Amino acid sequence: MSDIMRHVPFDVPEPFRRFLHGETGAMLRVEEFQDGSTMVVRAELPGIDPDRDVDITVSGTTLTIEARREERTEYRGKHNYRSEFQYGAFTRHIQLPQGTREEDIKASYTDGVLEVRIPTPEQDANPSRKVPVSRTSSAAGQGSAGLGTPDTTSEATAPGHFSATTPPEPGGPSAPPTGSV
């Protein structure tokens, strides 16, 4: 299924992409934006240790962020005890711009927010290029019928028809009607 997704000419929304790839884990929500010539990806990950709970990898043109969270809250009262656990693993795959250099990607973690900064290579303002079309002459004696140029091998025309070099006679069968409306 991942081979099919490589040939899709448009961005597939993350939930659909994850479904098609068979990923069923919780999705890491991110915000992604351009800051000048840098792509910035931010994820809220409060209560984690980035050294132990976060893995950021690059494979080809895909940046993968994996995070694990385990948070415990305990309440001990005189006659009761309550413990709440919040845990899970989160993954997000992000397409990188063509030409991104792996060694230039930087990540930081401040106040519960993971920020990944990806310098984007200079893109040509007009990446497309016009391809010139060359002309070739047709084979000798065959003319160029159907190509928009006159066939000069014959001057005779059938009644009611005209050649590309001879205009129709006024009032003839091929001439436009004249008169008042």
Side-chain angles (χ1 to χ4, degrees):
M1 186 63 71
S2 62
D3 289 339
I4 293 171
M5 295 303 294
R6 286 188 196 141
H7 302 292
V8 174
F10 53 87
D11 288 335
V12 176
E14 184 66 14
F16 295 116
R17 189 207 57 75
R18 291 172 57 82
F19 173 76
L20 292 172
H21 281 276
E23 298 174 25
T24 57
M27 183 174 76
L28 177 65
R29 295 185 181 273
V30 299
E31 68 178 7
E32 187 178 318
F33 60 92
Q34 197 72 23
D35 181 17
S37 64
T38 302
M39 178 180 172
V40 180
V41 179
R42 289 187 184 150
E44 284 187 312
L45 294 169
I48 65 160
D49 178 0
D51 296 327
R52 185 188 71 209
D53 298 332
V54 175
D55 290 319
I56 301 172
T57 57
V58 176
S59 177
T61 60
T62 303
L63 174 81
T64 301
I65 302 172
E66 295 177 290
R68 294 161 298 285
R69 175 181 296 148
E70 186 175 317
E71 187 177 316
R72 295 180 186 191
T73 305
E74 291 184 288
Y75 172 76
R76 293 180 188 265
K78 188 171 188 179
H79 298 290
N80 61 2
Y81 171 78
R82 183 176 65 197
S83 176
E84 294 183 8
F85 294 96
Q86 183 180 16
Y87 59 91
F90 307 93
T91 304
R92 187 65 181 259
H93 301 282
I94 297 154
Q95 274 310 116
L96 296 172
Q98 287 292 333
T100 299
R101 293 173 23 127
E102 215 176 299
E103 57 272 7
D104 294 339
I105 299 173
K106 306 287 183 225
S108 61
Y109 182 79
T110 307
D111 297 330
V113 177
L114 175 70
E115 181 176 280
V116 181
R117 299 185 70 81
I118 305 137
T120 54
E122 288 293 321
Q123 299 293 324
D124 189 7
N126 187 6
S128 63
R129 173 179 82 79
K130 185 172 179 163
V131 176
V133 177
S134 63
R135 290 180 165 238
T136 58
S137 62
S138 61
Q142 290 184 350
S144 55
L147 296 178
T149 57
D151 182 355
T152 57
T153 59
S154 171
E155 290 295 322
T157 58
H161 292 86
F162 61 92
S163 72
T165 57
T166 308
E169 295 179 21
S174 297
T178 57
S180 62
V181 179

